[in-house]
Amino acid sequence: MDMSMGRVRKAEVSVSYWVVLCGLLLLSPMALGEVFPGAQWIRDPAFTGVDVIETAHKEKAPKPELSGPKNVHTLFRNEITLSDEPVSAVMSITGDDYYKFYVNGAFVVQGPEAGYPYAHPYYTLDLLPFLKKGANCLAAHVYYQGLYNRVWNSADNRSGFVLAIDVTYPDGATERFVTDERWRLHTLKAFRTGRTIGYDTQFAEDIDLRKIPAGWQTCGFDDSSWRTPLTGWQDHTFVQQLTPPLQHLRFDPVVTKDKGDGNYFYDFGTEIVGHTRIRVKGKAGHKLEVRHGEELDAPDTVRDKMRANCHYREFITLTGGDDLIEFYDYRAFRYIELRDCPSKPEVWVDVRHHPFDPRASRLSASDELLPRIWEMCKNGVRYGSQGGFLDCPSREKGAYLGDALIASHSHLVLTGDGSLTKKAIKDFQLSQRICPGIMAVAPGSFCQE
């Protein structure tokens, strides 16, 4: 789309609202065995004997009594051997609440995006670029939050992970690899805090890197002390994810300042959403402080108590080696401040959002202020479009219907991509199982009609 002062050239937008409304995919929920033949749903033994809780209810109905684990990080791994270089490799994968999946140490995908247990989304992806002849390590960092909020359907004790990979060899032979009792798991104790952020949307991450097993995502790692997962599927039914995986890009700071005494300040030049990465070396047990924020309290000093009720102040304990700090959950911010850093760090952010081509639309104007406003608003649409059209990617992290209406119009104009709008319409349609009049947030365990 090209827009200039005094005239608008009609955009050739590939998806209109009418097409979206009339062309919704017919999602047929399927049981575990239909989507993942031969696979087992594997879970952390922390959920042994823990019953599923039905959290869905009308707003003024009695709220279900919650119990069960919270803030559970679990590492799963398995090594497989391919007899030859594959010519195709197709993977189906999902988890609850969330997973990050790796092959031979390389990040592949994270997900799923929020969904209801009676329409739980899964991806089908091409895994060929990641596999090789011989030994391959499949690894997943799976997370169950356990908070009752607008982010997803958590606090219901539904947890776990499943995948199935179908490999084809040059001679036409096929082989299937699945999650089952042969996988190994480790309950990760590195994320220690119980402090929550925003409207109970996430846990703060005070990370003890000494408790993360080095090399757990690669072949040859000794997992003999790891445990056998719980197997046996829960009550999910599955649907194909309507949107592609999130786009990930490295984003470096535009301003870096060494404030002295181990204190560093970083300005990314604009609001971003993503997972912070810090590479640093210090003595074993040394603890440094990380602050994120959207504003400054003073020059080069981050206001970490944000107006959005997010207190982004966290503490990281180092191993004594060359450490890479990786925050699991995402944050919305512009600035980072490090305090008591033992050496000069490398800092960047793995930004994330629904796939977004910034070249798909532009604004030209004689007044230079207008394009700047356009870019600011465009940036807001980009980073507010995660697995859904979010109210905001900090406090609520929820897909409200009113926000989705505005954001979906903007997203269609900016990109011509209707897949996220399609998911929003389907999610709110599915919410009618809770209230025929449609929920205000969908999906999510925080219920408002």
Side-chain angles (χ1 to χ4, degrees):
M1 174 176 289
D2 185 286
M3 292 187 177
S4 57
M5 294 295 290
R7 77 180 196 279
V8 177
R9 191 171 70 192
K10 184 177 180 181
E12 294 182 359
V13 179
S14 60
V15 182
S16 70
Y17 264 77
W18 178 249
V19 172
V20 170
L21 286 167
C22 295
L24 279 173
L25 293 179
L26 297 176
L27 298 181
S28 300
M30 292 174 280
L32 179 70
E34 296 177 82
V35 182
F36 305 95
Q40 297 186 51
W41 184 262
I42 57 177
R43 294 185 293 147
D44 193 304
F47 291 89
T48 302
V50 177
D51 294 329
V52 165
I53 297 171
E54 294 302 338
T55 59
H57 64 284
K58 285 198 171 186
E59 185 175 1
K60 294 186 178 180
K63 183 178 177 179
E65 185 175 344
L66 303 181
S67 62
K70 291 182 175 64
N71 200 26
V72 181
H73 290 262
T74 309
L75 307 182
F76 292 93
R77 72 184 306 276
N78 189 33
E79 294 186 21
I80 63 173
T81 301
L82 304 188
S83 59
D84 200 350
E85 290 287 342
V87 295
S88 73
V90 178
M91 175 179 68
S92 295
I93 184 171
T94 193
D96 195 343
D97 297 328
Y98 211 67
Y99 65 85
K100 295 185 180 181
F101 179 68
Y102 306 83
V103 174
N104 299 323
F107 172 75
V108 178
V109 67
Q110 65 183 51
E113 301 314 330
Y116 291 105
Y118 48 81
H120 195 78
Y122 69 92
Y123 286 126
T124 298
L125 304 171
D126 179 13
L127 203 60
L128 188 61
F130 298 92
L131 295 174
K132 58 184 176 61
K133 179 181 179 180
N136 293 266
C137 180
L138 312 178
H141 181 165
V142 179
Y143 181 55
Y144 173 80
Q145 187 190 71
L147 296 176
Y148 182 78
N149 57 33
R150 303 157 176 83
V151 181
W152 41 29
N153 281 285
S154 195
D156 58 3
N157 296 331
R158 293 180 176 94
S159 67
F161 174 68
V162 65
L163 66 74
I165 303 169
D166 290 304
V167 172
T168 303
Y169 295 108
D171 63 359
T174 60
E175 195 167 9
R176 171 173 282 253
F177 301 95
V178 298
T179 46
D180 55 24
E181 70 282 349
R182 291 172 292 183
W183 281 61
R184 307 295 290 165
L185 78 82
H186 174 71
T187 305
L188 195 60
K189 301 298 184 182
F191 295 79
R192 301 170 297 167
T193 183
R195 294 183 289 112
T196 59
I197 289 173
Y199 285 178
D200 272 352
T201 50
Q202 69 184 88
F203 283 97
E205 296 182 12
D206 295 338
I207 310 171
D208 189 341
L209 298 176
R210 298 170 299 179
K211 296 184 178 181
I212 300 178
W216 70 276
Q217 304 159 336
T218 58
C219 288
F221 174 81
D222 182 8
D223 60 13
S224 58
S225 65
W226 287 28
R227 295 183 291 170
T228 301
L230 296 178
T231 56
W233 68 290
Q234 294 187 284
D235 61 348
H236 301 85
T237 51
F238 300 97
V239 296
Q240 184 81 40
Q241 175 72 38
L242 287 173
T243 55
L246 296 179
Q247 183 177 5
H248 289 258
L249 298 168
R250 174 170 171 145
F251 204 108
D252 292 303
V254 297
V255 174
T256 299
K257 290 188 178 181
D258 183 346
K259 300 172 62 177
D261 299 324
N263 299 327
Y264 294 86
F265 170 78
Y266 304 89
D267 180 359
F268 290 84
T270 185
E271 181 85 2
I272 56 175
V273 173
H275 309 270
T276 298
R277 304 288 186 252
I278 304 168
R279 196 179 298 278
V280 67
K281 185 172 184 178
K283 292 182 180 180
H286 180 88
K287 189 177 292 185
L288 64 89
E289 182 180 335
V290 184
R291 299 184 178 189
H292 297 79
E294 297 174 322
E295 301 174 88
L296 302 179
D297 279 331
D300 308 331
T301 303
V302 173
R303 174 179 173 165
D304 52 285
K305 287 188 176 180
M306 289 169 41
R307 298 175 194 269
N309 200 39
C310 295
H311 191 182
Y312 288 148
R313 181 185 296 185
E314 290 145 312
F315 299 89
I316 312 299
T317 305
L318 303 181
T319 68
D322 293 316
D323 285 324
L324 175 60
I325 302 165
E326 299 182 273
F327 285 89
Y328 188 86
D329 210 341
Y330 69 90
R331 287 151 186 75
F333 60 94
R334 172 174 171 171
Y335 306 104
I336 291 176
E337 187 178 355
L338 304 184
R339 297 194 175 191
D340 201 18
C341 203
S343 59
K344 185 177 181 179
E346 179 187 7
V347 176
W348 72 98
V349 175
D350 173 28
V351 300
R352 48 167 277 175
H353 46 71
H354 182 82
F356 190 97
D357 182 359
R359 302 165 299 178
S361 61
R362 64 185 180 88
L363 177 71
S364 300
S366 58
D367 183 344
E368 65 178 19
L369 178 60
L370 190 57
R372 289 173 58 196
I373 295 172
W374 163 274
E375 287 300 324
M376 182 180 70
C377 297
K378 185 175 177 178
N379 200 52
V381 174
R382 180 197 322 217
Y383 287 116
S385 301
Q386 296 291 328
F389 294 118
L390 302 188
D391 171 273
C392 66
S394 53
R395 185 176 65 178
E396 283 95 346
K397 287 188 175 181
Y400 274 85
L401 181 57
D403 297 86
L405 175 63
I406 298 167
S408 60
H409 277 84
S410 302
H411 196 269
L412 283 167
V413 168
L414 291 170
T415 67
D417 172 13
S419 63
L420 199 55
T421 299
K422 184 177 289 188
K423 181 181 185 301
I425 293 171
K426 192 64 184 178
D427 285 340
F428 284 102
Q429 178 191 355
L430 289 166
S431 80
Q432 291 182 298
R433 292 200 187 187
I434 305 170
C435 174
I438 304 180
M439 303 303 288
V441 187
S445 54
F446 186 90
C447 295
Q448 295 174 290
E449 58 265 25

